[in-house]
mmCIF file of all heavy atoms in Angstrom:
data_model
loop_
_atom_site.group_PDB
_atom_site.id
_atom_site.type_symbol
_atom_site.label_atom_id
_atom_site.label_comp_id
_atom_site.label_asym_id
_atom_site.label_seq_id
_atom_site.Cartn_x
_atom_site.Cartn_y
_atom_site.Cartn_z
ATOM 1 N N TYR A 295 3.475 -12.752 1.338
ATOM 2 C CA TYR A 295 3.802 -12.317 -0.020
ATOM 3 C C TYR A 295 4.982 -13.104 -0.590
ATOM 4 O O TYR A 295 4.969 -13.515 -1.758
ATOM 5 C CB TYR A 295 4.160 -10.823 -0.032
ATOM 6 C CG TYR A 295 3.108 -9.905 0.544
ATOM 7 C CD1 TYR A 295 3.477 -8.742 1.224
ATOM 8 C CD2 TYR A 295 1.748 -10.179 0.410
ATOM 9 C CE1 TYR A 295 2.527 -7.889 1.755
ATOM 10 C CE2 TYR A 295 0.794 -9.332 0.933
ATOM 11 C CZ TYR A 295 1.189 -8.194 1.616
ATOM 12 O OH TYR A 295 0.250 -7.349 2.139
ATOM 13 N N LEU A 296 6.008 -13.307 0.231
ATOM 14 C CA LEU A 296 7.188 -14.046 -0.238
ATOM 15 C C LEU A 296 6.842 -15.495 -0.550
ATOM 16 O O LEU A 296 7.319 -16.066 -1.532
ATOM 17 C CB LEU A 296 8.302 -13.969 0.806
ATOM 18 C CG LEU A 296 8.956 -12.585 0.980
ATOM 19 C CD1 LEU A 296 9.851 -12.574 2.213
ATOM 20 C CD2 LEU A 296 9.756 -12.194 -0.260
ATOM 21 N N ASP A 297 6.011 -16.116 0.291
ATOM 22 C CA ASP A 297 5.629 -17.511 0.062
ATOM 23 C C ASP A 297 4.749 -17.660 -1.172
ATOM 24 O O ASP A 297 4.702 -18.735 -1.794
ATOM 25 C CB ASP A 297 4.902 -18.072 1.292
ATOM 26 C CG ASP A 297 5.855 -18.349 2.448
ATOM 27 O OD1 ASP A 297 7.075 -18.387 2.207
ATOM 28 O OD2 ASP A 297 5.386 -18.527 3.595
ATOM 29 N N LEU A 298 4.042 -16.587 -1.550
ATOM 30 C CA LEU A 298 3.244 -16.629 -2.777
ATOM 31 C C LEU A 298 4.116 -16.556 -4.028
ATOM 32 O O LEU A 298 3.641 -16.831 -5.131
ATOM 33 C CB LEU A 298 2.235 -15.473 -2.802
ATOM 34 C CG LEU A 298 1.037 -15.573 -1.852
ATOM 35 C CD1 LEU A 298 0.174 -14.313 -1.963
ATOM 36 C CD2 LEU A 298 0.198 -16.805 -2.144
ATOM 37 N N GLY A 299 5.380 -16.162 -3.854
ATOM 38 C CA GLY A 299 6.301 -16.111 -4.985
ATOM 39 C C GLY A 299 6.656 -14.724 -5.464
ATOM 40 O O GLY A 299 7.362 -14.576 -6.466
ATOM 41 N N TYR A 300 6.184 -13.675 -4.760
ATOM 42 C CA TYR A 300 6.519 -12.317 -5.157
ATOM 43 C C TYR A 300 7.949 -12.000 -4.727
ATOM 44 O O TYR A 300 8.413 -12.440 -3.674
ATOM 45 C CB TYR A 300 5.553 -11.313 -4.524
ATOM 46 C CG TYR A 300 4.125 -11.482 -4.969
ATOM 47 C CD1 TYR A 300 3.149 -11.952 -4.091
ATOM 48 C CD2 TYR A 300 3.740 -11.167 -6.265
ATOM 49 C CE1 TYR A 300 1.837 -12.108 -4.491
ATOM 50 C CE2 TYR A 300 2.415 -11.311 -6.675
ATOM 51 C CZ TYR A 300 1.476 -11.797 -5.784
ATOM 52 O OH TYR A 300 0.174 -11.952 -6.187
ATOM 53 N N SER A 301 8.654 -11.215 -5.539
ATOM 54 C CA SER A 301 10.003 -10.794 -5.183
ATOM 55 C C SER A 301 9.935 -9.627 -4.203
ATOM 56 O O SER A 301 8.889 -8.993 -4.024
ATOM 57 C CB SER A 301 10.776 -10.366 -6.426
ATOM 58 O OG SER A 301 10.239 -9.153 -6.949
ATOM 59 N N LYS A 302 11.067 -9.336 -3.583
ATOM 60 C CA LYS A 302 11.119 -8.208 -2.653
ATOM 61 C C LYS A 302 10.832 -6.899 -3.378
ATOM 62 O O LYS A 302 10.220 -5.990 -2.814
ATOM 63 C CB LYS A 302 12.487 -8.174 -1.959
ATOM 64 C CG LYS A 302 12.725 -9.357 -1.028
ATOM 65 C CD LYS A 302 14.028 -9.242 -0.273
ATOM 66 C CE LYS A 302 15.247 -9.528 -1.153
ATOM 67 N NZ LYS A 302 15.323 -10.907 -1.601
ATOM 68 N N SER A 303 11.240 -6.782 -4.630
ATOM 69 C CA SER A 303 10.937 -5.572 -5.405
ATOM 70 C C SER A 303 9.447 -5.458 -5.701
ATOM 71 O O SER A 303 8.877 -4.363 -5.698
ATOM 72 C CB SER A 303 11.739 -5.568 -6.714
ATOM 73 O OG SER A 303 13.121 -5.456 -6.460
ATOM 74 N N ASP A 304 8.787 -6.605 -5.988
ATOM 75 C CA ASP A 304 7.330 -6.596 -6.177
ATOM 76 C C ASP A 304 6.634 -6.063 -4.933
ATOM 77 O O ASP A 304 5.720 -5.220 -5.014
ATOM 78 C CB ASP A 304 6.821 -8.011 -6.470
ATOM 79 C CG ASP A 304 7.240 -8.523 -7.835
ATOM 80 O OD1 ASP A 304 7.487 -7.685 -8.725
ATOM 81 O OD2 ASP A 304 7.321 -9.758 -8.006
ATOM 82 N N ILE A 305 7.068 -6.572 -3.786
ATOM 83 C CA ILE A 305 6.458 -6.165 -2.523
ATOM 84 C C ILE A 305 6.704 -4.679 -2.275
ATOM 85 O O ILE A 305 5.804 -3.946 -1.856
ATOM 86 C CB ILE A 305 7.011 -7.011 -1.359
ATOM 87 C CG1 ILE A 305 6.690 -8.496 -1.592
ATOM 88 C CG2 ILE A 305 6.421 -6.558 -0.027
ATOM 89 C CD1 ILE A 305 7.395 -9.426 -0.627
ATOM 90 N N ALA A 306 7.935 -4.236 -2.556
ATOM 91 C CA ALA A 306 8.261 -2.828 -2.340
ATOM 92 C C ALA A 306 7.422 -1.927 -3.229
ATOM 93 O O ALA A 306 6.918 -0.891 -2.792
ATOM 94 C CB ALA A 306 9.751 -2.596 -2.604
ATOM 95 N N ARG A 307 7.264 -2.330 -4.499
ATOM 96 C CA ARG A 307 6.559 -1.490 -5.465
ATOM 97 C C ARG A 307 5.068 -1.412 -5.175
ATOM 98 O O ARG A 307 4.462 -0.344 -5.268
ATOM 99 C CB ARG A 307 6.797 -2.024 -6.874
ATOM 100 C CG ARG A 307 6.200 -1.139 -7.968
ATOM 101 C CD ARG A 307 6.648 -1.572 -9.353
ATOM 102 N NE ARG A 307 6.170 -2.905 -9.717
ATOM 103 C CZ ARG A 307 6.928 -3.997 -9.731
ATOM 104 N NH1 ARG A 307 8.206 -3.938 -9.381
ATOM 105 N NH2 ARG A 307 6.423 -5.174 -10.086
ATOM 106 N N ILE A 308 4.462 -2.523 -4.827
ATOM 107 C CA ILE A 308 3.004 -2.557 -4.665
ATOM 108 C C ILE A 308 2.592 -2.434 -3.200
ATOM 109 O O ILE A 308 1.821 -1.541 -2.834
ATOM 110 C CB ILE A 308 2.432 -3.855 -5.273
ATOM 111 C CG1 ILE A 308 2.675 -3.859 -6.786
ATOM 112 C CG2 ILE A 308 0.938 -3.958 -4.973
ATOM 113 C CD1 ILE A 308 2.204 -5.108 -7.479
ATOM 114 N N ALA A 309 3.119 -3.322 -2.359
ATOM 115 C CA ALA A 309 2.673 -3.354 -0.965
ATOM 116 C C ALA A 309 3.141 -2.140 -0.182
ATOM 117 O O ALA A 309 2.473 -1.730 0.762
ATOM 118 C CB ALA A 309 3.173 -4.629 -0.290
ATOM 119 N N LYS A 310 4.271 -1.566 -0.570
ATOM 120 C CA LYS A 310 4.793 -0.444 0.192
ATOM 121 C C LYS A 310 4.491 0.893 -0.474
ATOM 122 O O LYS A 310 3.839 1.752 0.113
ATOM 123 C CB LYS A 310 6.303 -0.617 0.391
ATOM 124 C CG LYS A 310 6.683 -1.910 1.113
ATOM 125 C CD LYS A 310 5.985 -2.036 2.458
ATOM 126 C CE LYS A 310 6.336 -3.349 3.156
ATOM 127 N NZ LYS A 310 5.579 -3.516 4.401
ATOM 128 N N MET A 311 4.963 1.087 -1.696
ATOM 129 C CA MET A 311 4.788 2.392 -2.334
ATOM 130 C C MET A 311 3.329 2.668 -2.675
ATOM 131 O O MET A 311 2.777 3.709 -2.326
ATOM 132 C CB MET A 311 5.664 2.468 -3.583
ATOM 133 C CG MET A 311 7.158 2.388 -3.291
ATOM 134 S SD MET A 311 8.197 2.591 -4.749
ATOM 135 C CE MET A 311 7.913 4.317 -5.125
ATOM 136 N N PHE A 312 2.672 1.717 -3.361
ATOM 137 C CA PHE A 312 1.267 1.913 -3.710
ATOM 138 C C PHE A 312 0.413 1.887 -2.449
ATOM 139 O O PHE A 312 -0.554 2.643 -2.322
ATOM 140 C CB PHE A 312 0.828 0.829 -4.692
ATOM 141 C CG PHE A 312 -0.515 1.084 -5.311
ATOM 142 C CD1 PHE A 312 -0.735 2.209 -6.086
ATOM 143 C CD2 PHE A 312 -1.557 0.193 -5.126
ATOM 144 C CE1 PHE A 312 -1.973 2.452 -6.658
ATOM 145 C CE2 PHE A 312 -2.800 0.420 -5.697
ATOM 146 C CZ PHE A 312 -3.005 1.548 -6.462
ATOM 147 N N GLY A 313 0.783 1.013 -1.514
ATOM 148 C CA GLY A 313 0.065 0.965 -0.245
ATOM 149 C C GLY A 313 0.179 2.273 0.517
ATOM 150 O O GLY A 313 -0.772 2.713 1.172
ATOM 151 N N PHE A 314 1.339 2.912 0.448
ATOM 152 C CA PHE A 314 1.536 4.200 1.100
ATOM 153 C C PHE A 314 0.556 5.236 0.547
ATOM 154 O O PHE A 314 -0.066 5.991 1.304
ATOM 155 C CB PHE A 314 2.979 4.660 0.880
ATOM 156 C CG PHE A 314 3.229 6.110 1.175
ATOM 157 C CD1 PHE A 314 3.376 6.556 2.474
ATOM 158 C CD2 PHE A 314 3.311 7.039 0.144
ATOM 159 C CE1 PHE A 314 3.611 7.892 2.747
ATOM 160 C CE2 PHE A 314 3.543 8.374 0.403
ATOM 161 C CZ PHE A 314 3.691 8.804 1.711
ATOM 162 N N ILE A 315 0.400 5.277 -0.765
ATOM 163 C CA ILE A 315 -0.516 6.232 -1.385
ATOM 164 C C ILE A 315 -1.947 5.991 -0.907
ATOM 165 O O ILE A 315 -2.678 6.928 -0.553
ATOM 166 C CB ILE A 315 -0.437 6.139 -2.919
ATOM 167 C CG1 ILE A 315 0.956 6.566 -3.392
ATOM 168 C CG2 ILE A 315 -1.512 6.998 -3.580
ATOM 169 C CD1 ILE A 315 1.195 6.332 -4.871
ATOM 170 N N MET A 316 -2.356 4.725 -0.861
ATOM 171 C CA MET A 316 -3.720 4.409 -0.443
ATOM 172 C C MET A 316 -3.941 4.732 1.032
ATOM 173 O O MET A 316 -5.038 5.126 1.437
ATOM 174 C CB MET A 316 -4.026 2.942 -0.720
ATOM 175 C CG MET A 316 -3.993 2.555 -2.192
ATOM 176 S SD MET A 316 -5.048 3.625 -3.222
ATOM 177 C CE MET A 316 -6.678 3.225 -2.584
ATOM 178 N N THR A 317 -2.891 4.583 1.855
ATOM 179 C CA THR A 317 -3.025 4.944 3.258
ATOM 180 C C THR A 317 -3.249 6.437 3.413
ATOM 181 O O THR A 317 -4.084 6.883 4.208
ATOM 182 C CB THR A 317 -1.762 4.529 4.038
ATOM 183 O OG1 THR A 317 -1.591 3.116 3.950
ATOM 184 C CG2 THR A 317 -1.872 4.921 5.507
ATOM 185 N N VAL A 318 -2.503 7.238 2.641
ATOM 186 C CA VAL A 318 -2.673 8.687 2.679
ATOM 187 C C VAL A 318 -4.076 9.071 2.204
ATOM 188 O O VAL A 318 -4.729 9.954 2.791
ATOM 189 C CB VAL A 318 -1.593 9.380 1.827
ATOM 190 C CG1 VAL A 318 -1.871 10.868 1.698
ATOM 191 C CG2 VAL A 318 -0.211 9.150 2.428
ATOM 192 N N VAL A 319 -4.563 8.405 1.149
ATOM 193 C CA VAL A 319 -5.922 8.665 0.662
ATOM 194 C C VAL A 319 -6.946 8.334 1.755
ATOM 195 O O VAL A 319 -7.875 9.114 2.012
ATOM 196 C CB VAL A 319 -6.205 7.842 -0.609
ATOM 197 C CG1 VAL A 319 -7.685 7.928 -0.980
ATOM 198 C CG2 VAL A 319 -5.345 8.339 -1.763
ATOM 199 N N GLY A 320 -6.774 7.181 2.400
ATOM 200 C CA GLY A 320 -7.688 6.796 3.472
ATOM 201 C C GLY A 320 -7.683 7.794 4.611
ATOM 202 O O GLY A 320 -8.744 8.132 5.165
ATOM 203 N N SER A 321 -6.492 8.290 4.965
ATOM 204 C CA SER A 321 -6.396 9.290 6.025
ATOM 205 C C SER A 321 -7.114 10.573 5.635
ATOM 206 O O SER A 321 -7.826 11.178 6.447
ATOM 207 C CB SER A 321 -4.923 9.577 6.330
ATOM 208 O OG SER A 321 -4.262 8.416 6.798
ATOM 209 N N GLY A 322 -6.923 10.997 4.376
ATOM 210 C CA GLY A 322 -7.589 12.207 3.914
ATOM 211 C C GLY A 322 -9.099 12.076 3.907
ATOM 212 O O GLY A 322 -9.816 12.986 4.317
ATOM 213 N N VAL A 323 -9.590 10.934 3.448
ATOM 214 C CA VAL A 323 -11.035 10.687 3.453
ATOM 215 C C VAL A 323 -11.578 10.720 4.877
ATOM 216 O O VAL A 323 -12.624 11.317 5.156
ATOM 217 C CB VAL A 323 -11.344 9.332 2.790
ATOM 218 C CG1 VAL A 323 -12.792 8.925 3.022
ATOM 219 C CG2 VAL A 323 -11.049 9.395 1.293
ATOM 220 N N CYS A 324 -10.840 10.095 5.795
ATOM 221 C CA CYS A 324 -11.314 10.045 7.182
ATOM 222 C C CYS A 324 -11.350 11.435 7.797
ATOM 223 O O CYS A 324 -12.245 11.743 8.595
ATOM 224 C CB CYS A 324 -10.414 9.124 8.008
ATOM 225 S SG CYS A 324 -11.001 8.881 9.689
ATOM 226 N N GLY A 325 -10.372 12.284 7.445
ATOM 227 C CA GLY A 325 -10.393 13.642 7.968
ATOM 228 C C GLY A 325 -11.666 14.375 7.612
ATOM 229 O O GLY A 325 -12.237 15.097 8.438
ATOM 230 N N VAL A 326 -12.154 14.177 6.381
ATOM 231 C CA VAL A 326 -13.414 14.788 5.963
ATOM 232 C C VAL A 326 -14.585 14.152 6.696
ATOM 233 O O VAL A 326 -15.517 14.837 7.144
ATOM 234 C CB VAL A 326 -13.586 14.658 4.439
ATOM 235 C CG1 VAL A 326 -14.936 15.215 4.006
ATOM 236 C CG2 VAL A 326 -12.458 15.371 3.706
ATOM 237 N N LEU A 327 -14.548 12.826 6.832
ATOM 238 C CA LEU A 327 -15.647 12.120 7.497
ATOM 239 C C LEU A 327 -15.795 12.537 8.957
ATOM 240 O O LEU A 327 -16.914 12.647 9.468
ATOM 241 C CB LEU A 327 -15.422 10.607 7.407
ATOM 242 C CG LEU A 327 -15.501 9.985 6.003
ATOM 243 C CD1 LEU A 327 -15.263 8.484 6.080
ATOM 244 C CD2 LEU A 327 -16.847 10.284 5.354
ATOM 245 N N VAL A 328 -14.648 12.751 9.635
ATOM 246 C CA VAL A 328 -14.731 13.170 11.037
ATOM 247 C C VAL A 328 -15.410 14.531 11.154
ATOM 248 O O VAL A 328 -16.204 14.770 12.068
ATOM 249 C CB VAL A 328 -13.313 13.201 11.662
ATOM 250 C CG1 VAL A 328 -13.341 13.888 13.028
ATOM 251 C CG2 VAL A 328 -12.761 11.787 11.802
ATOM 252 N N VAL A 329 -15.118 15.434 10.207
ATOM 253 C CA VAL A 329 -15.742 16.753 10.225
ATOM 254 C C VAL A 329 -17.240 16.638 9.982
ATOM 255 O O VAL A 329 -18.052 17.285 10.649
ATOM 256 C CB VAL A 329 -15.093 17.669 9.169
ATOM 257 C CG1 VAL A 329 -15.859 18.985 9.064
ATOM 258 C CG2 VAL A 329 -13.638 17.942 9.529
#
């Protein structure tokens, strides 16, 4: 990400915060799928 030219704040906002939300969504979906 850094070599592509994104700032640390860009990475924090998208790769970390937004990524965190998508990880939680994926976990929730999987919980239903396992059932």
Side-chain angles (χ1 to χ4, degrees):
Y295 304 147
L296 290 169
D297 286 345
L298 288 177
Y300 297 110
S301 69
K302 293 185 286 293
S303 294
D304 290 335
I305 299 170
R307 185 171 65 255
I308 296 178
K310 301 304 178 185
M311 296 184 69
F312 191 61
F314 165 79
I315 295 172
M316 297 307 295
T317 299
V318 172
V319 170
S321 298
V323 169
C324 185
V326 176
L327 293 180
V328 169
V329 173

